[in-house]
Every structure is written in C-alpha cells, then in structure tokens.
C-alpha cells in the first residue's frame, strides 16, 4: 500500500501550510477568535482562491485524501476557519444528492461568497448517527420543517442550512433551508470555535435532489466529517508533540534541562507512539473513503484511536510544560482544548465503542 502523497497533493499541503503560517501566530489567532465572526474573512477568501473550499465536490478532481491533507494543516495551525463545517461536508452532500439547480450553489460555496452548515445533531442525541426528531410536513408541493438542531457547527454564519428531518412515510430526508428563515442562537464553544442552536417552526424547506429517504447519503457525509476531524486532530497532536519536545531541552530544573530526566523523555516517546497510532488510523479512514468504502466500523475505529491519542497527547503536553501550559498566551493549552472538542464532536470514545459493540455479531472472531 502506497502512503506517499502525489506531487499535486504535496503542493496542496505546502500551499495550505504557507497560507495559514502567514496568517496565524498565537497572538493573531487569539485576537481573531475573540472577535466576530471568530475567523478571518481575508483568510477565507485566500482559501477560496486556491480551491480549498470546493475540495471533494468533483470526485474525479479531488477527494478525501486531499481533504485529509488540508485539514491536517488546519490542525497544525489551529486555524479557526470552518472549512469542513461550512463548506466541504455540507457541500459534499449537495454534490452527492443535489439537482442541477441546487448544485449551482456549489460555485458560490467554492468562491467563498456563500456558507453552508449541516444541521443534523439534536439535543440529547449521542454519536454521529443519532435518531432524528425534527419532522418534515408536506402540503402539496411545499415542505415545512419543525424541530431543534443543536449543536450546528458554523450555524451562526451559514447562509443556507442542510437539514435532516423525519419524513411522514418513514426514513430521513435532507432539505435546503434559508438560514434567515430560522431562529438562531449563536454561541462560542470552549475551544474558540463557533456554533448555534437552530429552531425550526413550520420553516419552509426544499428537498435536496429528488427527495425521499437520504439516510445513506447522510451517513456518507457524516463519515467524511469524522475523517476530516481525525485529520485535523492528527495535525494538532503533531504540533503539540513538537512544542513539547522543543520545550524539554530549553527549560531547566535543578540547574539541568528537563530533557535530561529519563522519565520525561520516556513520556514524550509515549506521546510519539500515540501520534503514530492516530496517524495510521487517520490514513486508513481517509483511504477507505477514497476507495468508496463508507463503513461506520472503520470510522468508529479511527475516531476511537483519535480520541484516545488526542486525550493522551493533550494531557501530557500540558503536564510536561508545567504552569505555562495552562496560559492563554502559550499555544499548547489551545491545542488541548481543540483536541478535547474534536473528541466530543460526532461521538466520544464511548460512542465509538458502542458502534463497535453493536457490530460484534458481524465478526467470526473477536480478540482483545
């Protein structure tokens, strides 16, 4: 199996890295996430200009590997732009199901002039594939939606929402909704990102594509989102480890560098092991999708390892930095916060284990 990136993928990685490195340092990021909308519109325009906001819309041109490459760089820089939540994931669902007229919306998304959000999660639901309580009602050719979606990543700035709802005859439909027609309650998450609660009360909606049950397409979009989160987490873990290994030789205790204490270097080595386990699972998840295999068990296994590795690396990075690791002026605490948020997005480690437990009867042999 070839894990090497192509020349085009390396160029995409390097270009993304250059744009983000030139836009963000710790002070700049802290200032931007404390302002509205919590990310840079200038950076968003740059991302649009180099084609990042339309990755995956045309599978013959780009796919999940390219998304993985880009999101890894976002994790490294802790860039707050909601590329996955406001463009790639909901846009991919439109590309998958949308009619010709609806797909024309993707040009506006790719240019950065229109932002989307996938409104699927609901209060009390666990995991990525929780039950949908929002209902869809039809009167003639018109549809309306009633329910509550929370949390909706990038829901505070989205122009158009892609909303999942329970159909009258069973199954789950996906609808386009004008965000201005809903009641939005925006808020800031503890890691500096933004989200919103979306309330729908007989809100006009348009079925995505031909309508009907879109459960399979919705699950594919959620699996792509899980893979994107895994890639971002790997980038954040790699940077947190690098910050830690650079800090240990420079910080002195009892007159000698911290790196001279064997126990501390062993703990850093364990962090590296966790990172490589996460990186391997991240590649597996993205390559499975690229091969057309949308397996919830693969997504759950990858996310489970990401959760475990992310928690380990985040906690060790803060511990090995000591007091400075807890300050807002130093980046390692922000990496820990983002990794914690990713762990809870689309299902925690416990939720991933539940998916794997539910699939036990599909295996001939199970070993621990």
């Amino acid at each position: 199996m070839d894990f090497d990136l192509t020349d085009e993928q390396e160029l995409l990685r390097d270009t993304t890295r250059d744009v983000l490195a030139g836009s963000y340092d710790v002070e700049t990021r802290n200032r931007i996430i404390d302002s509205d909308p919590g990310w840079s519109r200038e950076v968003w325009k740059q991302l649009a200009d180099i084609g990042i906001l339309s990755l995956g819309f045309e599978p013959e041109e780009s796919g999940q590997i390219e998304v993985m490459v880009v999101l890894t760089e976002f994790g490294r820089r802790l860039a707050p732009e909601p590329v996955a939540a406001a463009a790639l994931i909901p846009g991919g669902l439109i590309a998958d199901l949308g009619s010709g007229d609806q797909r024309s919306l993707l040009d506006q998304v790719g240019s950065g002039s229109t932002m989307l959000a996938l409104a699927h999660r609901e209060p009390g639901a666990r995991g990525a594939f929780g039950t949908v309580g929002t209902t869809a009602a039809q009167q003639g050719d018109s549809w309306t939606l009633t329910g509550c979606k929370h949390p909706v990543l990038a829901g505070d700035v989205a122009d158009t929402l892609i909303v999942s709802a329970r159909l009258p005859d069973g199954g789950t439909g996906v609808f386009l909704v004008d965000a201005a027609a809903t009641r939005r309650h925006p808020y800031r998450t503890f890691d500096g990102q933004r989200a919103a609660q979306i309330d729908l009360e007989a809100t006009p909606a348009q079925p995505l594509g031909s309508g009907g049950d879109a459960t399979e397409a919705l699950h594919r979009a959620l699996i792509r989102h899980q893979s994107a989160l895994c890639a971002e987490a790997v980038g954040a873990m790699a940077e947190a480890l690098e910050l830690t290994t650079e800090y240990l030789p420079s910080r002195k205790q009892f007159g000698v560098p911290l790196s001279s204490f064997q126990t501390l270097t062993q703990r850093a080595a364990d962090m590296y092991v966790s990172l490589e386990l996460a990186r391997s699972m991240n590649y597996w998840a993205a390559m499975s999708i690229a091969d057309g295999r949308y397996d919830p068990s693969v997504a759950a296994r990858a996310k489970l390892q990401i959760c475990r590795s992310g928690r380990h690396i985040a906690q060790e990075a803060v511990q090995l930095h000591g007091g400075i690791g807890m300050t807002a002026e130093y980046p390692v605490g922000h990496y820990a916060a983002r990794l914690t948020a990713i762990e809870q997005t689309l299902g925690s480690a416990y939720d991933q284990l539940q998916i794997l437990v539910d699939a036990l009867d599909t295996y001939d042999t199970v070993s621990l």
Side-chain angles (χ1 to χ4, degrees):
M1 185 175 291
D2 185 8
F3 289 94
D4 293 330
L5 299 177
T6 65
D7 292 342
E8 291 80 7
Q9 290 165 349
E10 288 184 349
L11 179 60
L12 177 64
R13 177 198 63 196
D14 295 342
T15 302
T16 306
R17 183 175 298 178
D18 290 343
V19 168
L20 298 180
S23 302
Y24 287 114
D25 53 30
V26 178
E27 292 182 0
T28 302
R29 180 184 180 276
N30 288 347
R31 174 173 52 80
I32 287 178
I33 65 174
D34 284 338
S35 62
D36 288 326
W39 45 272
S40 168
R41 296 191 183 277
E42 179 181 348
V43 173
W44 191 259
K45 184 62 170 63
Q46 289 179 287
L47 298 173
D49 290 342
I50 59 180
I52 286 178
L53 300 185
S54 57
L55 289 176
F57 295 173
E58 300 293 340
E60 64 276 6
E61 297 180 4
S62 62
Q64 196 64 29
I65 302 300
E66 286 74 20
V67 172
M68 178 194 74
V69 167
V70 166
L71 266 295
T72 300
E73 297 306 315
F74 270 75
R76 283 184 175 275
R77 302 305 303 182
L78 284 182
E81 283 70 30
V83 169
L88 303 187
I89 304 307
L93 194 52
I94 294 176
D96 195 2
L97 290 180
S99 64
D101 289 341
Q102 291 169 342
R103 285 176 59 87
S104 64
L105 183 63
L106 297 179
D107 293 333
Q108 302 171 40
V109 175
S111 69
S113 60
T114 295
M115 302 187 73
L116 307 173
L118 176 58
H120 172 63
R121 300 287 302 281
E122 299 187 357
R126 296 191 64 93
F129 312 109
T131 57
V132 175
T134 299
T135 57
Q138 185 177 17
Q139 294 181 340
D141 293 333
S142 301
W143 288 85
T144 58
L145 305 182
T146 300
C148 176
K149 296 294 185 178
H150 173 70
V152 180
L153 301 177
D156 59 315
V157 292
D159 303 295
T160 300
L161 300 172
I162 290 81
V163 184
S164 60
R166 192 170 68 248
L167 298 172
D169 56 353
T172 301
V174 179
F175 299 82
L176 294 177
V177 174
D178 181 1
T182 68
R183 285 195 299 142
R184 291 194 276 193
H185 308 279
Y187 58 89
R188 175 178 172 177
T189 59
F190 73 91
D191 62 331
Q193 303 275 332
R194 304 299 172 95
Q197 175 178 311
I198 306 293
D199 292 330
L200 304 134
E201 296 180 4
T203 304
Q206 177 187 12
L208 189 57
S210 58
D213 186 15
T215 300
E216 290 188 8
L218 182 60
H219 283 187
R220 288 196 296 269
L222 293 171
I223 288 172
R224 288 194 294 269
H225 197 178
Q226 283 186 312
S227 174
L229 288 170
C230 290
E232 185 182 353
V234 167
M237 288 184 230
E239 195 66 19
L241 175 59
E242 185 172 337
L243 286 170
T244 304
T245 55
E246 289 176 351
Y247 180 77
L248 292 178
S250 62
R251 177 73 166 88
K252 290 187 176 182
Q253 188 72 34
F254 306 113
V256 296
L258 291 179
S259 59
S260 64
F261 296 97
Q262 188 179 45
T263 299
L264 300 186
T265 58
Q266 289 171 342
R267 289 170 65 178
D270 288 340
M271 292 170 65
Y272 175 76
V273 172
S274 287
L275 171 61
E276 290 306 305
L277 286 171
R279 197 192 307 275
S280 297
M281 296 300 286
N282 173 48
Y283 267 97
W284 183 39
M287 294 173 75
S288 295
I289 295 171
D291 289 340
R293 182 185 179 195
Y294 290 86
D295 187 339
S297 293
V298 173
R301 290 179 186 179
K303 183 71 187 305
L304 176 60
Q305 186 58 57
I306 291 296
C307 291
R308 289 173 170 173
S309 293
R311 180 172 289 267
H312 174 223
I313 290 174
Q315 290 178 343
E316 289 287 56
V318 172
Q319 285 280 331
L320 293 175
H321 275 84
I324 193 175
M326 301 294 293
T327 63
E329 292 76 19
Y330 194 75
V332 71
H334 297 287
Y335 283 103
R338 183 61 187 143
L339 288 169
T340 302
I342 289 174
E343 178 183 355
Q344 298 299 322
T345 304
L346 298 183
S348 64
Y350 174 86
D351 298 317
Q352 310 310 324
L353 280 173
Q354 189 62 56
I355 292 174
L356 297 176
V357 168
D358 291 342
L360 282 179
D361 59 355
T362 64
Y363 297 94
D364 295 329
T365 302
V366 176
S367 60
L368 298 178

